[in-house]
Amino acid sequence: MNNKLVLLITFVCLVGRSLAQDNPRPNIVVFFVDDLGWQDTSEPFYTEKTPINKSFHTPYVERLAKDAVKFTNAYATAVCTPSRISFLTGINAAHHRVTNWTHPKANTPTDNEDNLLLPPDWNINGLSPIAGIPHTVYATPFPQILKDNGYHTIHIGKAHWGAAGTPGANPLNLGFIVNVGGHSAGHPQSYYGEQNYGNIPGKASHQAVPDLMEYYGSPIFLTEALTQQAIKAIQTPIDRKTPFLLNFSNYAVHVPIQPDPRFVQRYLDQGLDANEAAYASLVEGYDKSMGDIIDFLKEQGVYDNTIIIFVSDNGGLSLHPARTNASHTQNLPLKAGKGSLYEGGIRVPLLIKGVNQKKGITRDTPVIMEDLFPTILHLANISNYTTVQPALDGQNIAELMSSKKQDAKWDKRILVWNYPNKWIPTDGPAINFFSAIRQGDYKLLYDMKNGRLELYNLTKDIGETDNLVHKMQSKTTEMSRLLAEQLRSWKAQLPTYKTTGHPVPFPDELK
Amino acid sequence: MNNKLVLLITFVCLVGRSLAQDNPRPNIVVFFVDDLGWQDTSEPFYTEKTPINKSFHTPYVERLAKDAVKFTNAYATAVCTPSRISFLTGINAAHHRVTNWTHPKANTPTDNEDNLLLPPDWNINGLSPIAGIPHTVYATPFPQILKDNGYHTIHIGKAHWGAAGTPGANPLNLGFIVNVGGHSAGHPQSYYGEQNYGNIPGKASHQAVPDLMEYYGSPIFLTEALTQQAIKAIQTPIDRKTPFLLNFSNYAVHVPIQPDPRFVQRYLDQGLDANEAAYASLVEGYDKSMGDIIDFLKEQGVYDNTIIIFVSDNGGLSLHPARTNASHTQNLPLKAGKGSLYEGGIRVPLLIKGVNQKKGITRDTPVIMEDLFPTILHLANISNYTTVQPALDGQNIAELMSSKKQDAKWDKRILVWNYPNKWIPTDGPAINFFSAIRQGDYKLLYDMKNGRLELYNLTKDIGETDNLVHKMQSKTTEMSRLLAEQLRSWKAQLPTYKTTGHPVPFPDELK
């Protein structure tokens, strides 16, 4: 063989080797926060920094925002499980029919009793990756697709995708290779290592956090324990140059509102009462987790090639006395909070840091939880995949991350919510038996129990105080038709009247 | 470029690719059974098939034996944690000082009260992969070395390597990437899915089995649930052509002796009472797990390239009433059972199927649990590794798997046990405060509490009935010296007299 040939072969083989080692597939890290309100960070998602923003201290959200696209009109559902399942499946909650939070145990409804209405026969067991499990939505979760494409898929923290007694209870059945701390429960029994996160014989509830035995009896707060586990878990794929997914959901900031001892003093010093200081300390604890994990990505040299998503699963809790101040003031300027279809219950912070993408830009296009499924797969350069769910309701929003002018289709797009359930014993504001639609500036809410509509121009009236139903009758008619058509096309479930057994009317059927 | 050149480059690159895909590193599957006695299979490990062998039905052990090397003189320690830690660290229990089983909770001794002796200050917290944790042995577990060498390392079932509140409680800290069901406890609270394996709010003990939420409320026995999890977990590395370690330890056949409903009827029909039928059903359940996993390896085409080890962590339980018949008759012809340094407590079944190795041969060379560490790494072709433990006590026994004549060194080798602990309230036979040594045909036991020695020729007297101490005084002296020297060189711990605080004499110091 001549020298030129040897050189050429060497070159070809080296190039081949280099391509195999420097995997073009980006890592994906999702900071999926629980119950974090739209105002609960020091980074403003509103047009200005509000007094609520100023009461929080989240330097790492601020830092991430500088490298990311900020979505100021991002939405989830009003409570956690529906959002979590929309995230994993790309299906809207009206369509997947897990419309309420799921009980840790199978076949256990979570609705409160209502005097007038009966919730529909919704999917009380959550998501299932196996067909034929009663009361579940059968769907392919996106982590399974990533896993099938060679990703090392890691779930850390709260799962709450399926009820115990069904396959979806276990993240390992949903496409994750590694699971630490995730099971069928929606909140921790305790954030304290001293209390074994609830795992005390004879006292453990369904919410006792699994795994983490090495922290039992220690002063390590749950938030920090799960952060350490996350960093350990991603070390393996980083060392192996395998692309990875980290879904990080460390239980904070859901009740029980227990103070994170590392951070609570700052807020007591600020003058917050013990309860609000505890809440703010949970928020800062989550922020610190995010900072530590991102610092680790930077130290390991993989930050640039990592997509990072920061999002919450529903609006901030606004119930007094769980929160200190008057109910439904915790998300101002947004109205109400978790459980409500007013903005306080469904609008959530969303940041997406891509790879080689425009940094620090803000988008006010309305986007919704189920959009993350196609967006993540697009950003991971995976286009050839199949799902058992026939079509995704979510849209790929990656194009909104570029600086080019937005396609007109986004202005016409409708977003829909359906909450035919009874979350808390007392109704309102926009809590229990509501559906809603957003298109462009406008949002229509349908109060199923009272047969009433409300229309708001969110751009002018983010606080939903000026009901335009009477001033804008044709807009009201048009939007109630759009909402009804979408609900009908998804075969969305409506509550029924206890007396007749008939469903409530669709919003375009009101007399 | 001419055609010849294109072809040549294509060829070179294809060869490179093929080498990268067909990984030469074998997979390793360890069936690490809990409390399975030397006689508790239908495959005989003795020179003949005994009545006890005949009462069990383990077709998959029999099938594996045909492809494996059978070690008829394989040893573990008398109780579980010491063995499990010797397995993971390559260190003898006298040396690693986890001489007794560890409590699920940190800093909690498990010794019973004795009237005369006080157990030493042993490593009650088990194994730690982190330095400086009180009352632990700090060591590098072999799964960590496999992981560092690119293995996908999976633990399924009972772990019991460290107490909750220490890092060793969590298999993910011991070199495993995946853990299902392993924590700090040594047995399951319940084998029944209907009882959530113990995870019932308010009733869960330290032994409630973690993970497995999808089986809660189902009729799936723990043995089967963990088998399904194992098969799912190994699918990923098989698909990715990554070598893997599966450490499969599905809790059976440890107490609680609960009938495996799939198999119990056979034994009731055989005339066993409910308790013994339940025990035999646990054994057959384990056997079925092994069959299912091996069948899966065959279906996936990876069986030939997989090393398979079948072993138990100590002798079979021989206490009445936990077992039905008179105490210490359950392992005949071996004397006594779990907890004893007589053969019934420490001799265990061991099969090793290698890759391209002599099949169906039997070896009577004495080998011991800590040998598996260097043997596994040797069989995995990993020779360049470091450990924080300065030297391994275990020997690479891979050469015993060939048909060539055995090196004389194996006849001279000594095996040592040290059990300076009080396992059960009532002493004997060879239970509580014993040490022992085996060399060649001979075994010497030292009863620390009573200051007595016993010597047996195991080849002639496997039942340890003919104490040769008086007939063979010089052999007794020599072996007590060998035992004492080894214990001294390892700084092995001895119990102390309560009255004086002085340790019991070494076996060569007896008057």
Side-chain angles (χ1 to χ4, degrees), chain B residues 12-48:
Chain B
V12 171
C13 292
L14 281 177
V15 166
R17 205 174 154 208
S18 156
L19 282 176
Q21 285 186 344
D22 302 334
N23 203 300
R25 292 171 297 176
N27 309 308
I28 299 150
V29 174
V30 184
F31 293 102
F32 199 96
V33 204
D34 199 13
D35 278 9
L36 186 80
W38 190 64
Q39 286 292 297
D40 293 349
T41 62
S42 50
E43 174 72 25
F45 284 78
Y46 185 44
T47 49
E48 60 189 73

Side-chain angles (χ1 to χ4, degrees), chain A residues 5 151 165 173 213 232 240, chain B residues 5 151 165 173 213 232 240:
Chain A
L5 187 55
Y151 274 73
N173 295 334
M213 298 83 68
K232 269 196 276 196
R240 296 183 180 184
Chain B
L5 187 54
Y151 273 74
N173 294 333
M213 298 81 69
K232 269 196 275 196
R240 296 185 180 182

Side-chain angles (χ1 to χ4, degrees), chain B residues 107-179:
Chain B
N107 306 317
T108 313
T110 54
D111 297 280
N112 279 278
E113 182 75 18
D114 188 68
N115 57 346
L116 184 71
L117 298 179
L118 203 63
D121 188 26
W122 59 282
N123 282 329
I124 56 175
N125 289 331
L127 168 62
S128 175
I130 311 282
I133 308 294
H135 289 105
T136 64
V137 54
Y138 169 47
T140 306
F142 80 83
Q144 182 65 49
I145 297 167
L146 289 174
K147 180 178 163 186
D148 292 344
N149 281 274
Y151 273 74
H152 191 82
T153 49
I154 300 163
H155 172 77
I156 306 280
K158 171 170 165 177
H160 204 191
W161 286 298
T166 71
N170 187 346
L172 300 183
N173 294 333
L174 299 171
F176 291 101
I177 291 172
V178 176
N179 167 43

